């Protein structure tokens, strides 16, 4: 019983440490627009995903992901290239949706 409580406390401390790191990164990201005053390109890109494992052996797993490009600069991005590497490529099916989610969310928040 004491071991499981100790393990839980360690997990909580680990999650709190991760949370502090994320908060620091968000604080730094919020300061970026103030730093970019010229026409230089300043972009933040990240990929989030979820792995959906099959319930039975005969089914295929699915990776549902989001690739986000956030333009922090003052110049518009024109024709950005996104490269994904999958091995073996025969085992992948790719579909995409393009949109301006952040602009919509920002309009709803403000």
């Amino acid at each position: 019983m004491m071991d499981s409580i100790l393990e839980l406390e360690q997990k909580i401390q680990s999650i709190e440490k991760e949370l502090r790191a994320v908060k620091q990164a968000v604080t730094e990201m919020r300061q970026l627009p103030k730093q970019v005053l010229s026409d230089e390109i300043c972009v933040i890109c990240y990929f989030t995903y979820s792995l959906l494992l099959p319930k039975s052996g005969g089914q295929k797993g699915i990776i549902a992901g989001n690739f986000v490009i956030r333009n922090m600069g003052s110049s518009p991005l024109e024709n950005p290239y996104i490269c994904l590497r999958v091995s073996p490529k025969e085992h992948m099916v790719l579909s995409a949706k393009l949109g301006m989610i952040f602009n919509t969310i920002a309009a709803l928040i403000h």
Side-chain angles (χ1 to χ4, degrees):
M1 179 78 170
M2 290 302 288
D3 288 339
S4 62
I5 292 174
L6 182 60
E7 289 176 13
L8 288 174
E9 288 175 346
Q10 289 174 342
K11 286 182 182 180
I12 289 170
Q13 288 175 354
S14 174
I15 292 170
E16 286 174 342
K17 183 178 178 182
E18 284 184 47
L19 180 61
R20 285 191 297 272
V22 169
K23 284 182 178 181
Q24 178 64 32
V26 168
T27 300
E28 291 172 6
M29 287 174 61
R30 285 185 177 150
Q31 293 173 356
L32 279 177
K34 298 172 188 170
Q35 296 171 357
V36 180
L37 299 175
S38 65
D39 286 340
E40 66 187 54
I41 295 175
C42 181
V43 179
I44 295 175
C45 302
Y46 58 93
F47 185 75
T48 62
Y49 66 93
S50 296
L51 178 59
L52 307 171
L53 298 174
K55 291 185 179 181
S56 66
Q59 296 177 334
K60 295 181 180 181
I62 297 173
I63 299 174
N66 291 308
F67 182 72
V68 179
I69 302 173
R70 185 164 183 197
N71 186 0
M72 304 298 284
S74 56
S75 298
L77 296 176
E78 297 179 8
N79 303 317
Y81 285 89
I82 300 168
C83 300
L84 302 173
R85 184 183 302 191
V86 178
S87 179
K89 65 182 179 181
E90 294 80 20
H91 292 177
M92 182 183 156
V93 176
L94 179 68
S95 63
K97 248 194 250 185
L98 301 176
M100 304 198 56
I101 295 170
F102 285 111
N103 289 344
T104 305
I105 292 172
L108 295 174
I109 292 173
H110 294 282

